[in-house]
Amino acid sequence: MRKNRPKYKQIIEAAVETIADNGYHASQVSKIAKKAGVADGTIYLYFKNKEDILVSVFEEKMGQFIEQIASSINDKQNADEKLRTLIEMHFLQLANDHHLAIVTQLELRQSNSALRMKINEVLKPYLVVIDDIIEEGTEEKIFRDDLNIPLVRQMIFGTLDEIVTNWVMKEQRYDLVKQTSDVHTLIINGLSVKEIVKED
Amino acid sequence: MRKNRPKYKQIIEAAVETIADNGYHASQVSKIAKKAGVADGTIYLYFKNKEDILVSVFEEKMGQFIEQIASSINDKQNADEKLRTLIEMHFLQLANDHHLAIVTQLELRQSNSALRMKINEVLKPYLVVIDDIIEEGTEEKIFRDDLNIPLVRQMIFGTLDEIVTNWVMKEQRYDLVKQTSDVHTLIINGLSVKEIVKED
Amino acid sequence: MRKNRPKYKQIIEAAVETIADNGYHASQVSKIAKKAGVADGTIYLYFKNKEDILVSVFEEKMGQFIEQIASSINDKQNADEKLRTLIEMHFLQLANDHHLAIVTQLELRQSNSALRMKINEVLKPYLVVIDDIIEEGTEEKIFRDDLNIPLVRQMIFGTLDEIVTNWVMKEQRYDLVKQTSDVHTLIINGLSVKEIVKED
Amino acid sequence: MRKNRPKYKQIIEAAVETIADNGYHASQVSKIAKKAGVADGTIYLYFKNKEDILVSVFEEKMGQFIEQIASSINDKQNADEKLRTLIEMHFLQLANDHHLAIVTQLELRQSNSALRMKINEVLKPYLVVIDDIIEEGTEEKIFRDDLNIPLVRQMIFGTLDEIVTNWVMKEQRYDLVKQTSDVHTLIINGLSVKEIVKED
DNA sequence: TATGAATGAGCATTCATTCAT
DNA sequence: AATGAATGAATGCTCATTCAT
């Protein structure tokens, strides 16, 4: 299988680096090939075309990303803990791979709609993970039972995504992972003053 | 001032339509010129280059967008009402202008990072409006006083943005404005079950 | 009309020269543009694509070629004279334009089938001219009345074409036009010994 | 000798089929190798390069073609009969091998001039056969004694070639061999009305 | 102001050929 | 003898921008 051959991974890694360093539009196939240490033509033994490289980058990296999160969540006891872990792992993984963060948050968004449709497909399993947590929380009576699940999912994903994008655009100058707790609280409790409510 | 000359607005409108109809990458300067009813060269009497057209589109349209929201908020009594109004107006304006929604949520994101930085500049006044609401809510003791304001702003903006993008990608098949209340509740109260707390 | 603008003809001439000098496959668009003294992009203001340049070369040159022959034939008195004139003009014109001879006899034949179909279309009027002569000769009782016209036309065209091609491949080292009379006699009388018949 | 090894012939046959099915330009070496059931690299154990494959195709096929004609002619009594047989065999063989007809009349002509020079070399023995018939006819006083032999040969070959090419381009929809008699008469007697001559 | 013809830099992809196994 | 993965040179076309009119 082509995906197991060493050059496949070499090219994927080279693509991430090239895009992170030069930006999406300046990442010619020849540049990726050079960084991967293969000939231009070799690229086409492993990928159908340039778009296929980019989709594969996303598939490989996001596949790991999502698996990592899914497995970290597995041994958590309740939806609240799972949500906290999801946030933390989301931040942690991108904080640990600066190249990947730049590529996913900034560069790959410049792709045309066809490519972005494919990227959305790759993201679907992540959205399912989020949906499952919401449902579990509702069953555990930790979350409200009248939640509009797609909407909640969009809130969670939109929040995390925007936070990471801001962090990347601020050139990653602060600690992303440290925000986990605040973000978790915001999503769970919202802006309102709970204590006031409790004191009723 | 160039912005008051009739052709300036003609070109801006032509750009929005062209991008909405053809997509970002298929919107050549010549196509925009044709739709605006001017010669290609004329474009360059009003705009420095193609990027300048796109930034100006965003400035003009977002300027109105933000003003509209800011003025709607003005006569609301408290931060909670203001936030609800902001959400509603955000949704309402994009729901009322399909072209604009496609352009801002999908097409303009395909621009390179340099252009996106400039677009972020244009968005700043909107972010200030959000920040002000958060501060006001804190002062009114409606919101918690330990809120991390940039984080909250990112949550609010990221949530709204993601919701609108999903709606555009689902081809605007459902009523966006009807989601206002749910989104407002989510942001104010989060996912947690308040009633249990109240029943203490 | 684009065909009357001076650059159109410049490019056509440059294409003929370039192909004659470098051969069909080594005639890049950029080379043609350079010889025409225009930018590469200018080519595409006058021609749809590379194939369109080549078809146009053939159309222009063959158009003149055929017209020249047709008009020379006009004032000839009978089919025999017309045939002789056709042969002479066919040879004369190619003998007078070495570049054109190389291009039509050798280089343009390397084009793919799609292009050659179009080239055949351009040749059709020439074939009609030949057919008309054959019919006229039959009516004048100069030619036999049982002639298979398409076959005769193929004989005449095939003969002339093969003779010119041989001459081009022999690097045009002998006088092509001088062959007119021999060729004419061959086509009119064939190989057989007429005198024997006459002696009856 | 390489030509006797079984893979040599396999590759030749695969090349003819591939070219007939896909056209000259779409007949990559890898496609020929696949159809021949050998690895790409194996081709280069039997042929110097791609051009060598094509020349060899022509050599093999034309060798048989010419031999067939030469031997059929052998037992004919006079030049007239020999010429008729040559025409008939030329048509018959191509009519019997549609693949070969397409390859020789259309596809192989798309090769560059260098290859066509080599192909012409292969054809030389055929031209000699034609020359011999002409000379014999002259000696037998069947043909005129003032014939320009190269010219006559070009007429004969050009005529046959053009007729076959037309037949292939008309998708071989009529009976080529049935034309033998007409073509023979045309070449021997030309267009002219013999009876007029006789009346002298 | 306005025009629009002209410019020319930039790049994904194919495929004949090689060579380590 | 045979393989087939790897190579890398080579090119048509687009489109943002300019500038003579």
Side-chain angles (χ1 to χ4, degrees):
Chain A
M1 189 205 184
R2 71 167 198 186
K3 300 201 178 187
N4 294 326
R5 282 185 278 168
K7 294 207 171 155
Y8 179 84
K9 290 206 182 293
Q10 261 174 58
I11 294 167
I12 292 277
E13 296 305 325
V16 175
E17 276 185 58
T18 305
I19 295 171
D21 288 352
N22 304 281
Y24 180 80
H25 283 112
S27 294
Q28 299 88 337
V29 171
S30 61
K31 221 177 244 173
I32 295 173
K34 196 168 201 176
K35 183 157 297 198
V38 301
D40 292 15
T42 305
I43 298 270
Y44 292 87
L45 298 175
Y46 294 88
F47 300 91
K48 221 169 68 248
N49 49 34
K50 188 178 178 179
E51 180 174 314
D52 190 29
I53 307 175
L54 302 174
V55 173
S56 301
V57 162
F58 209 80
E59 274 174 6
E60 289 289 318
K61 293 298 183 179
M62 274 307 161
Q64 291 173 266
F65 179 90
I66 295 167
E67 261 177 52
Q68 192 64 244
I69 291 178
S71 91
S72 298
I73 278 174
N74 244 342
D75 54 357
K76 301 305 169 205
Q77 298 302 320
N78 57 46
D80 187 83
E81 270 308 294
K82 286 185 178 177
L83 180 61
R84 165 187 293 276
T85 304
L86 178 138
I87 296 167
E88 188 174 30
M89 291 302 299
H90 188 129
F91 289 168
L92 187 61
Q93 290 188 81
L94 291 168
N96 281 342
D97 190 341
H98 289 208
H99 278 164
L100 184 63
I102 292 170
V103 170
T104 61
Q105 302 306 123
L106 298 184
E107 301 303 337
L108 239 35
R109 316 239 161 159
Q110 299 173 43
S111 56
N112 59 42
S113 350
L115 178 49
R116 270 181 311 151
M117 291 297 176
K118 291 189 184 168
I119 285 178
N120 275 337
E121 281 307 301
V122 178
L123 272 182
K124 269 197 179 153
Y126 189 37
L127 305 181
V128 170
V129 168
I130 297 177
D131 285 2
D132 287 348
I133 294 178
I134 303 168
E135 278 174 11
E136 189 180 326
T138 306
E139 283 162 17
E140 292 169 348
K141 313 266 188 207
I142 298 178
F143 299 160
R144 276 180 287 134
D145 59 7
D146 61 347
L147 292 175
N148 178 336
I149 291 185
L151 210 64
V152 173
R153 176 220 307 146
Q154 287 160 32
M155 177 190 70
I156 294 173
F157 184 80
T159 297
L160 300 185
D161 193 55
E162 179 72 14
I163 288 169
V164 178
T165 298
N166 271 273
W167 171 76
V168 172
M169 292 208 300
K170 291 268 164 52
E171 281 163 334
Q172 321 186 335
R173 280 194 291 262
Y174 49 87
D175 189 331
L176 182 62
V177 183
K178 273 198 182 148
Q179 310 235 22
T180 302
S181 211
D182 280 3
V183 176
H184 179 248
T185 304
L186 267 180
I187 291 174
I188 294 293
N189 293 324
L191 305 180
S192 64
V193 180
K194 296 294 156 113
E195 289 71 28
I196 290 176
V197 175
K198 284 177 187 166
E199 286 164 10
D200 277 350
Chain B
M1 190 206 182
R2 71 169 198 183
K3 300 201 177 184
N4 294 325
R5 283 182 282 168
K7 291 200 175 161
Y8 179 84
K9 291 209 180 292
Q10 264 174 54
I11 294 168
I12 293 280
E13 294 305 324
V16 175
E17 277 185 56
T18 305
I19 295 172
D21 288 351
N22 304 282
Y24 180 81
H25 283 112
S27 294
Q28 299 86 341
V29 171
S30 62
K31 221 177 242 173
I32 295 172
K34 195 169 200 176
K35 183 158 293 198
V38 301
D40 293 14
T42 305
I43 297 268
Y44 291 86
L45 299 174
Y46 294 87
F47 300 91
K48 216 167 74 244
N49 52 33
K50 188 178 181 181
E51 182 173 310
D52 189 29
I53 306 175
L54 302 174
V55 172
S56 301
V57 162
F58 209 79
E59 272 173 8
E60 289 290 319
K61 293 297 181 180
M62 273 307 157
Q64 296 174 356
F65 180 90
I66 296 167
E67 261 177 49
Q68 192 66 243
I69 291 178
S71 91
S72 299
I73 277 174
N74 244 341
D75 55 357
K76 301 305 167 202
Q77 299 303 319
N78 56 47
D80 186 84
E81 269 307 294
K82 286 185 178 178
L83 179 61
R84 165 186 293 276
T85 304
L86 179 139
I87 296 167
E88 189 174 30
M89 291 303 297
H90 188 129
F91 288 170
L92 187 62
Q93 291 188 80
L94 290 169
N96 281 342
D97 190 343
H98 288 210
H99 276 169
L100 185 63
I102 292 170
V103 170
T104 60
Q105 303 304 124
L106 298 184
E107 301 303 339
L108 240 37
R109 317 245 159 155
Q110 298 175 43
S111 55
N112 58 44
S113 344
L115 177 50
R116 287 221 303 291
M117 293 295 178
K118 292 191 183 168
I119 285 178
N120 275 336
E121 282 307 301
V122 179
L123 275 181
K124 269 199 178 150
Y126 189 38
L127 305 182
V128 170
V129 169
I130 298 177
D131 284 3
D132 287 349
I133 295 177
I134 303 168
E135 278 175 10
E136 189 180 326
T138 305
E139 282 163 16
E140 292 168 350
K141 313 268 189 202
I142 298 177
F143 299 161
R144 276 182 284 133
D145 58 7
D146 61 347
L147 293 176
N148 176 337
I149 291 185
L151 209 63
V152 173
R153 176 220 308 146
Q154 287 161 29
M155 176 190 71
I156 294 173
F157 184 80
T159 296
L160 300 186
D161 193 57
E162 179 72 14
I163 288 170
V164 178
T165 298
N166 272 274
W167 171 76
V168 172
M169 293 207 302
K170 291 269 163 51
E171 282 163 337
Q172 320 186 336
R173 279 195 292 262
Y174 48 86
D175 189 331
L176 182 61
V177 182
K178 273 197 183 147
Q179 311 237 22
T180 303
S181 210
D182 279 4
V183 175
H184 178 248
T185 304
L186 267 179
I187 290 173
I188 294 294
N189 294 324
L191 306 178
S192 66
V193 180
K194 300 287 155 119
E195 288 73 26
I196 291 176
V197 175
K198 284 178 189 166
E199 285 163 8
D200 278 352
Chain C
M1 191 207 183
R2 71 167 198 185
K3 300 202 176 186
N4 294 326
R5 283 186 278 167
K7 294 206 171 157
Y8 180 84
K9 291 207 181 293
Q10 262 175 56
I11 294 167
I12 292 279
E13 295 306 323
V16 174
E17 276 185 58
T18 305
I19 296 172
D21 289 352
N22 304 283
Y24 180 81
H25 283 112
S27 293
Q28 300 88 338
V29 172
S30 61
K31 223 177 243 173
I32 295 174
K34 196 169 201 175
K35 183 156 298 199
V38 301
D40 292 16
T42 305
I43 299 269
Y44 293 88
L45 297 176
Y46 294 87
F47 300 91
K48 222 169 66 248
N49 50 36
K50 188 179 180 180
E51 179 174 314
D52 189 30
I53 307 175
L54 303 174
V55 172
S56 301
V57 162
F58 209 79
E59 273 174 7
E60 289 289 318
K61 293 297 182 179
M62 273 308 163
Q64 291 174 282
F65 179 89
I66 295 168
E67 260 177 52
Q68 193 64 244
I69 291 178
S71 91
S72 298
I73 277 174
N74 245 341
D75 55 357
K76 301 305 168 203
Q77 298 301 321
N78 57 47
D80 187 84
E81 270 309 293
K82 286 185 178 177
L83 180 60
R84 166 186 292 275
T85 304
L86 179 137
I87 297 166
E88 189 174 28
M89 292 302 299
H90 188 129
F91 289 169
L92 188 62
Q93 291 189 80
L94 291 168
N96 280 342
D97 191 341
H98 289 209
H99 279 164
L100 185 63
I102 293 170
V103 170
T104 61
Q105 302 306 122
L106 299 184
E107 301 303 338
L108 239 36
R109 317 239 160 158
Q110 299 174 42
S111 55
N112 58 42
S113 351
L115 178 49
R116 269 181 311 154
M117 291 296 176
K118 291 188 185 169
I119 284 178
N120 275 336
E121 281 307 301
V122 179
L123 272 182
K124 268 197 180 153
Y126 189 37
L127 305 182
V128 170
V129 169
I130 297 177
D131 284 2
D132 288 348
I133 294 178
I134 303 168
E135 278 175 12
E136 191 181 323
T138 306
E139 282 162 18
E140 293 168 349
K141 315 270 189 199
I142 298 178
F143 299 160
R144 277 181 284 134
D145 59 7
D146 62 345
L147 292 175
N148 178 336
I149 292 185
L151 210 63
V152 174
R153 176 218 309 145
Q154 286 161 31
M155 178 190 69
I156 294 173
F157 185 80
T159 297
L160 301 185
D161 194 57
E162 179 72 14
I163 288 169
V164 178
T165 299
N166 271 275
W167 171 76
V168 171
M169 293 207 301
K170 291 269 165 49
E171 282 163 337
Q172 320 186 336
R173 280 194 291 262
Y174 48 87
D175 189 330
L176 183 61
V177 182
K178 273 198 185 148
Q179 311 236 22
T180 304
S181 211
D182 279 3
V183 176
H184 178 249
T185 304
L186 268 179
I187 291 173
I188 295 292
N189 293 324
L191 306 179
S192 67
V193 179
K194 298 290 155 116
E195 288 72 26
I196 292 176
V197 176
K198 284 179 188 167
E199 286 163 7
D200 279 350
Chain D
M1 190 208 183
R2 72 169 197 182
K3 300 201 176 185
N4 294 327
R5 283 182 283 167
K7 292 203 173 158
Y8 179 85
K9 290 208 181 292
Q10 262 174 56
I11 294 167
I12 293 280
E13 295 305 324
V16 175
E17 275 185 58
T18 304
I19 295 172
D21 288 351
N22 304 282
Y24 180 81
H25 283 112
S27 294
Q28 299 87 341
V29 172
S30 62
K31 221 177 242 172
I32 296 173
K34 195 169 200 177
K35 183 157 294 196
V38 301
D40 293 13
T42 306
I43 297 268
Y44 291 86
L45 298 175
Y46 294 88
F47 300 90
K48 215 169 76 246
N49 50 33
K50 188 179 181 181
E51 182 174 309
D52 189 29
I53 307 175
L54 302 174
V55 173
S56 302
V57 162
F58 209 78
E59 272 173 8
E60 289 290 318
K61 293 297 181 179
M62 274 306 154
Q64 296 174 356
F65 180 89
I66 295 168
E67 263 177 50
Q68 192 65 243
I69 291 177
S71 90
S72 298
I73 278 173
N74 244 342
D75 55 358
K76 300 306 167 202
Q77 298 303 320
N78 57 46
D80 186 84
E81 269 308 293
K82 287 185 177 179
L83 180 59
R84 166 186 293 275
T85 304
L86 179 138
I87 297 166
E88 189 173 31
M89 292 302 298
H90 188 130
F91 288 169
L92 189 61
Q93 290 188 82
L94 291 169
N96 281 342
D97 191 341
H98 288 208
H99 276 169
L100 185 62
I102 292 170
V103 171
T104 61
Q105 302 304 125
L106 299 184
E107 301 303 339
L108 240 36
R109 316 244 160 155
Q110 298 175 43
S111 56
N112 58 43
S113 343
L115 177 50
R116 287 220 303 292
M117 294 294 178
K118 292 190 184 170
I119 285 178
N120 275 336
E121 283 306 301
V122 180
L123 274 181
K124 269 201 179 149
Y126 189 38
L127 305 182
V128 171
V129 169
I130 297 177
D131 285 1
D132 288 349
I133 295 178
I134 302 168
E135 279 175 11
E136 189 180 327
T138 305
E139 282 162 18
E140 292 168 350
K141 313 268 188 202
I142 299 178
F143 299 160
R144 276 181 284 134
D145 60 5
D146 61 347
L147 292 175
N148 177 336
I149 292 186
L151 209 63
V152 174
R153 175 220 307 147
Q154 287 161 30
M155 178 190 70
I156 294 173
F157 184 80
T159 297
L160 301 185
D161 193 56
E162 179 71 14
I163 288 169
V164 178
T165 299
N166 271 274
W167 171 78
V168 172
M169 293 207 302
K170 291 268 164 52
E171 281 162 338
Q172 320 185 336
R173 279 194 292 261
Y174 48 87
D175 189 328
L176 183 60
V177 183
K178 272 196 184 148
Q179 311 236 22
T180 303
S181 211
D182 279 3
V183 176
H184 179 248
T185 304
L186 267 180
I187 291 173
I188 294 294
N189 293 324
L191 307 179
S192 66
V193 180
K194 296 296 155 110
E195 287 71 29
I196 290 176
V197 175
K198 285 177 188 167
E199 286 163 8
D200 276 351

